[in-house]
Amino acid sequence: MSSWARTLSRLDAFSKVDSTYQARSSSGGFLSVVVLAAMLLMVASELRDFLRYRQTHEFAVDADMQQTLQVNFAMTVAMPCALMRVDVLDASGTRRNLDRGISMQSVSRRRTFAATHGGRTDKLNDIADMHVHDIIAEAGRSRRVPGVHDKSVAKINKLDDAACRIEGSAAINKVAGLFHITAHGHGYGGAYVPSHLMNFTHYIDELSFGPLYPSLDNPLDNTLHMADDHVAAFRYFISVVPTTYIDASAHRLSTSQYAVKQYYKPHADLSDLDGKPPGIFLEYSFEPIAVTVREHRGSVVAFAVRLCAAVSGLFVAVGIAHWLLTCCILSSQAALGEHTRTPQGILDTKRLEPVKSGVLGAL
């Protein structure tokens, strides 16, 4: 052995025990199996925790000076298109009729609502249940809404089977406002629609704020709302929050989330708009805060450190436990042997035998 090797051997902090002095036992083998199983479980747990995405939410005052925001909607109302109108009224005093800027297509009421009967459908891409990277990936995909361009659905047999498919996007002022669908002559001027012709049962396929991402579902998407009275009014109180998603690869998606509360009034006031006539009313407001949702994973270095600490700590803990158990067993065995040993007095013949072979024996 060279001199530098001997010098390194003197610095060895992990001294070895010769195999001649090593003893193997069944208890040691059992503990080895237990340690190996526990170690595999800990490695699997640490690996799962490392691969898991974590999300952090940051809140700040909304500094966006943009004056308008896009609202996207697609819904079917169980009334003929000729009997109703779509308007927007906001806190700035702006009032707009959207009938000419959106698509209002006549469809079969029976076929449309038969396909969507049963209330809320299962959401495949609900934002609340998705990771940030999935949200950004789904935002770039398109989704075909069933029945929108189906010619068989658009075929109407008679007037009482007529429904109206309302679809489009509109730029609204970024202030509190009211998006509403009412019958002609109720709340606004024009020809008066008798109450027995009104039916505001509706199915909402899409309602979102900001850029349109059809594959992402929002709280009111794919929901059916039934009216049990001709003069019923549906009111939705919507709070819009600007939201930015940033995934682990620094991809960014800017959109808007919203929370909604629903109020249903079976017998609405037929007098004026302030009394909320029969119809569908979406009352929206904008929160003064902006939310940034960031997605990240743990670092590889932190994962390696935690894994080494867990495995080595397990070995040390089991080694100490085994040593304590061995000491307890040996102590109990020694105490048991001392307790069962035969007492020996002064006149015991076995204790006198050495004396006989001594000086007294020579006499």
Side-chain angles (χ1 to χ4, degrees):
M1 182 182 296
S2 60
S3 59
W4 64 271
R6 287 193 297 270
T7 302
L8 289 178
S9 63
R10 295 191 191 99
L11 299 176
D12 187 6
F14 306 96
S15 56
K16 313 301 185 296
V17 179
D18 192 271
S19 59
T20 306
Y21 304 101
Q22 295 179 359
R24 300 182 183 274
S25 62
S26 58
S27 61
F30 174 75
L31 282 178
S32 299
V33 174
V34 172
V35 168
L36 180 60
M39 183 178 64
L40 292 177
L41 289 177
M42 294 182 70
V43 170
S45 176
E46 291 294 337
L47 182 60
R48 183 182 62 180
D49 187 68
F50 169 71
L51 296 177
R52 182 182 303 164
Y53 287 97
R54 295 176 176 84
Q55 294 183 3
T56 58
H57 294 72
E58 302 174 3
F59 301 89
V61 176
D62 185 13
D64 187 8
M65 300 296 292
Q66 185 178 1
Q67 296 183 356
T68 61
L69 184 69
Q70 178 176 303
V71 58
N72 314 290
F73 49 88
M75 67 177 69
T76 303
V77 184
M79 281 178 60
C81 296
L83 301 183
M84 57 185 175
R85 56 183 293 163
V86 182
D87 299 271
V88 173
L89 175 67
D90 60 41
S92 67
T94 302
R95 176 181 296 180
R96 279 195 303 154
N97 179 262
L98 303 179
D99 291 355
R100 296 183 179 180
I102 60 177
S103 171
M104 299 180 68
Q105 177 185 5
S106 296
V107 296
S108 171
R109 180 191 307 179
R110 185 175 295 104
R111 294 182 182 181
T112 300
F113 286 94
T116 59
H117 185 69
R120 191 182 189 94
T121 59
D122 293 333
K123 285 176 169 254
L124 299 178
N125 301 316
D126 191 355
I127 291 181
D129 300 329
M130 297 172 64
H131 294 290
V132 174
H133 62 278
D134 294 328
I135 294 175
I136 295 177
E138 289 291 338
R141 301 178 185 177
S142 60
R143 178 184 60 185
R144 182 180 181 271
V145 181
V148 176
H149 303 291
D150 194 341
K151 295 182 179 180
S152 63
V153 174
K155 184 179 179 180
I156 304 172
N157 297 325
K158 50 187 177 180
L159 183 62
D160 59 358
D161 186 39
C164 187
R165 168 80 183 182
I166 304 172
E167 185 177 11
S169 299
I172 59 175
N173 295 326
K174 204 172 179 182
V175 294
L178 178 65
F179 177 93
H180 52 285
I181 302 173
T182 55
H184 288 292
H186 296 273
Y188 294 96
Y192 184 82
V193 177
S195 60
H196 70 275
L197 295 178
M198 293 188 293
N199 184 356
F200 286 101
T201 295
H202 59 284
Y203 183 84
I204 301 177
D205 292 290
E206 171 80 29
L207 181 65
S208 61
F209 294 83
L212 176 61
Y213 302 113
S215 61
L216 297 182
D217 280 344
N218 294 279
L220 284 175
D221 292 359
N222 303 319
T223 55
L224 175 64
H225 308 269
M226 303 292 295
D228 54 10
D229 191 90
H230 289 289
V231 290
F234 295 87
R235 298 179 66 182
Y236 303 94
F237 301 91
I238 301 173
S239 298
V240 183
V241 180
T243 306
T244 301
Y245 295 98
I246 304 176
D247 66 6
S249 302
H251 297 139
R252 181 182 296 264
L253 174 67
S254 297
T255 182
S256 294
Q257 297 184 93
Y258 65 84
V260 60
K261 300 294 182 183
Q262 178 182 351
Y263 173 74
Y264 173 70
K265 188 176 182 180
H267 303 288
D269 188 0
L270 295 175
S271 58
D272 56 10
L273 185 63
D274 295 332
K276 292 297 182 295
I280 303 169
F281 300 88
L282 303 166
E283 301 185 23
Y284 56 87
S285 60
F286 296 90
E287 298 297 329
I289 61 172
V291 179
T292 301
V293 184
R294 296 182 184 272
E295 181 184 67
H296 60 87
R297 280 178 172 173
S299 66
V300 178
V301 176
F303 167 70
V305 171
R306 291 176 57 183
L307 187 61
C308 292
V311 173
S312 59
L314 179 63
F315 273 104
V316 172
V318 173
I320 294 176
H322 185 261
W323 177 76
L324 291 175
L325 181 61
T326 303
C327 290
C328 292
I329 293 175
L330 293 178
S331 300
S332 62
Q333 289 178 350
L336 183 61
E338 184 69 24
H339 179 72
T340 56
R341 185 180 301 172
T342 303
Q344 297 177 350
I346 299 177
L347 299 179
D348 192 351
T349 57
K350 292 183 179 181
R351 294 179 62 86
L352 294 176
E353 286 181 358
V355 180
K356 294 179 180 179
S357 62
V359 177
L360 295 177
L363 295 176

